[in-house]
Amino acid sequence: MNSSQDLTSEKAKVQQESLSATQKILSMEKRVPEIESEKKLAAASRNFKEAGRLANEAKALLSSKREVTLDLGRITAELQKLDEEIDIQMSALADLDKQLVAKEREAAMARCERLRLITCALRDERDAAAELEDFEEAESLHIEAEAADKEADE
């Protein structure tokens, strides 16, 4: 599977090909009537060699136009395929983003729960230290418990 950047770059390249093909077709469509007019003038002035050359030029131009039109069809199909691939990748990225948000939320909840458990354990230790009349240790544990509780609230 190509990366989104590769697909976008490929799409830009193919869009440029499409634009170029469209411009060629328009140029050919404009040139054919001009050649036909020149051919009529040459035939009217009895310059049949020139009229024949112009007829062949018009024929070649029409043939070329058919080829470019076929290419344009292929290019359009390729653009559609690239658009579909880009849409699939964007959808997949959106799904992954949703999963990431859900996992981040899950991790935050687990961290909060862990901090709440630590807070409870520290308070239990504080109470035990107070019963043993180790008030300095009890105060230290109380400060740690409050810090863990505050962090869990965030």
Side-chain angles (χ1 to χ4, degrees), residues 139-150:
E139 181 61 25
S140 173
L141 290 168
H142 174 72
I143 291 170
E144 280 185 61
E146 291 298 314
D149 199 31
K150 182 178 177 185

Side-chain angles (χ1 to χ4, degrees), residues 4 12 27 65 86 94:
S4 291
S27 173
K65 180 186 166 199
I86 289 170

Side-chain angles (χ1 to χ4, degrees), residues 44-119:
S45 64
R46 305 195 111 1
N47 188 348
F48 298 115
K49 186 176 182 182
E50 179 65 10
R53 185 191 69 74
L54 289 167
N56 287 337
E57 186 179 336
K59 226 184 260 186
L61 203 54
L62 288 172
S63 175
S64 218
K65 180 186 166 199
R66 279 191 290 276
E67 289 176 21
V68 173
T69 301
L70 288 173
D71 279 348
L72 185 58
R74 176 195 55 79
I75 290 167
T76 301
E78 191 174 341
L79 271 174
Q80 186 176 5
K81 181 182 168 209
L82 286 169
D83 280 338
E84 289 169 2
E85 287 182 39
I86 289 170
D87 287 346
I88 288 168
Q89 279 200 352
M90 292 309 219
S91 177
L93 285 174
D95 288 345
L96 288 173
D97 194 43
K98 287 178 187 174
Q99 289 176 13
L100 178 62
V101 167
K103 291 295 181 185
E104 286 173 342
R105 186 178 304 120
E106 191 178 303
M109 295 297 283
R111 183 172 183 274
C112 182
E113 182 63 30
R114 183 178 131 291
L115 288 169
R116 297 277 185 222
L117 290 172
I118 289 171
T119 300

